[in-house]
Amino acid sequence: MTPDIDSEDFEDADGETLIVSLHETARALRLDKALAEAAPSLSRARIQALLDAGAVSFADAPVNAKSKVLPGDYAIAIPPVTPADPQPEAIPLTVLFEDADLIVIDKPAGMAAHPAPGNQTGTLVNALLHHCGASLSGIGGVARPGIVHRLDKDTSGVMVAAKTDRAHAGLSALFAKHDIERTYIALTRGAPSPARGRIETRIGRSSSDRKKMAVLKSGGREAITDYVVERIFGAPAKPGAAPMAARVACTLHTGRTHQIRVHLASKGAPILGDPTYGSGSPAAPVRAAVAEAGLARQALHAAVLGFVHPVTGEALRFETPPPPDMKSLEEHLVSLD
């Protein structure tokens, strides 16, 4: 059973065929440049390599970099990446709980959950392999041993990993049934309205950018987030207007990729510092607060994780405060009141 995934590590869609449509205006360009402009998720260098490898076709015939640009659909066969065998690395971990079956850690921002293109080392998996030893190897797969859920690379907070097959199976079942308590703290531009509510949508890959997720009218997967505005900063000057910023607690009932980031953005309150979904610029005082706090990532922290131990049956609940960068930002935002 595949668990829900909370992840910013939304990997390149390797191992699939990408269809790219070129229009009449592309005739004046080189083919590699035209394809790169039409498919911004692929670099021009990578498209050139795929052209050289015969992985790009038009009307079922291979094309190359010297081929004439014709309007229509080009098929780009993106080969799968062979996952590397992750190696143990002596990376310090903040361990909240550990026994023979599982380990709970407070993941720092900037650490990816597992190796992926662009993050082959320095991941939580590398750290766990060193910390847990040979017992972790192979549990849940070679590339992602022990991992049953993920946090975005730049999201901090509580994560659990399995150390045995029975714990992995049990935790995976809990996540698949959404029988997990998960609450996140977000600092947002503006605030969602009303101050308390449920966001219930379908989330899937964006049709305009395959590296992003989006709220969809059809397709995708059900995504449910409850939220509460805990505090506003920079109260609005007139009734009905949005505040400058807010602290929002979000409780997940599903675990779709980028769920909280997409949901809050859909409510007009994107997370501060979010490079992907934080469209629009916050007010000047908020921008100054972000700079003074040194925030270099989305202001999102997985504060609470609660679940029943899959082996012992013990009820476990862990809660950690936001790390210094988010704490500092909140202190600067308080001064806006």
Side-chain angles (χ1 to χ4, degrees):
M1 184 176 293
T2 301
D4 287 326
I5 298 296
D6 304 324
S7 180
E8 179 267 340
D9 299 322
F10 188 40
E11 293 142 13
D12 212 10
D14 291 328
E16 68 176 21
T17 298
L18 180 66
I19 304 299
V20 178
S21 297
L22 297 184
H23 303 290
E24 285 286 344
T25 54
R27 286 183 180 271
L29 303 176
R30 281 173 50 98
L31 181 57
D32 58 341
K33 181 175 176 58
L35 291 173
E37 290 185 357
S41 58
L42 294 177
S43 69
R44 188 172 177 180
R46 190 170 190 200
I47 287 176
Q48 289 171 340
L50 290 168
L51 284 165
D52 291 343
V56 183
S57 59
F58 180 81
D60 295 326
V63 294
N64 58 48
K66 296 182 179 179
S67 296
K68 182 179 180 181
V69 175
L70 298 173
D73 291 339
Y74 287 77
I76 303 177
I78 304 174
V81 172
T82 302
D85 187 4
Q87 299 300 308
E89 295 179 35
I91 302 170
L93 291 173
T94 300
V95 178
L96 305 177
F97 174 88
E98 183 176 11
D99 65 8
D101 293 289
L102 56 84
I103 181 171
V104 180
I105 62 102
D106 189 4
K107 186 188 82 67
M111 174 184 278
H114 59 75
N119 291 289
Q120 294 293 347
T121 61
T123 72
L124 177 59
V125 160
N126 298 113
L128 289 174
L129 286 170
H130 180 271
H131 180 88
C132 301
S135 64
L136 192 71
S137 299
I139 296 169
V142 173
R144 306 177 186 183
I147 300 299
V148 292
H149 74 127
R150 297 182 291 184
L151 295 180
D152 298 356
K153 177 182 176 182
D154 288 328
T155 295
S156 55
V158 188
M159 275 189 68
V160 60
K163 296 171 62 177
T164 63
D165 285 324
R166 60 181 180 176
H168 191 277
L171 288 169
S172 295
L174 290 175
F175 276 95
K177 294 185 296 184
H178 314 305
D179 198 8
I180 299 278
E181 179 187 2
R182 288 178 286 177
T183 299
Y184 293 64
I185 299 299
L187 298 176
T188 64
R189 187 194 82 205
S193 181
R196 178 189 297 266
R198 169 168 288 194
I199 307 171
E200 191 167 358
T201 70
R202 302 194 72 80
I203 286 180
R205 187 175 299 177
S206 169
S207 60
S208 60
D209 185 346
R210 69 193 189 93
K211 284 184 174 290
K212 293 177 65 174
M213 305 300 283
V215 169
L216 304 179
K217 292 182 179 179
S218 61
R221 301 177 70 187
E222 181 184 47
I224 302 172
T225 305
D226 287 339
Y227 71 88
V228 177
V229 177
E230 296 186 329
R231 181 168 183 174
I232 62 172
F233 309 102
K238 55 184 179 180
M244 290 187 186
R247 173 185 166 114
V248 183
C250 297
T251 298
L252 286 179
H253 296 285
T254 55
R256 308 306 173 215
T257 300
H258 300 184
Q259 178 172 320
I260 293 174
R261 298 165 66 189
V262 171
H263 269 171
L264 288 176
S266 76
K267 294 288 287 184
I271 297 173
L272 291 173
D274 191 333
T276 303
Y277 303 101
S279 59
S281 180
V286 177
R287 294 200 305 271
V290 170
E292 291 169 8
L295 183 81
R297 50 122 178 173
Q298 64 262 9
L300 183 62
H301 176 72
V304 176
L305 181 66
F307 57 94
V308 173
H309 194 297
V311 177
T312 68
E314 179 185 3
L316 300 174
R317 187 180 188 275
F318 305 94
E319 183 170 2
T320 63
D325 59 349
M326 281 184 62
K327 182 179 179 181
S328 176
L329 174 56
E330 186 166 354
E331 290 171 351
H332 282 88
L333 293 174
V334 168
S335 67
L336 303 180
D337 294 338

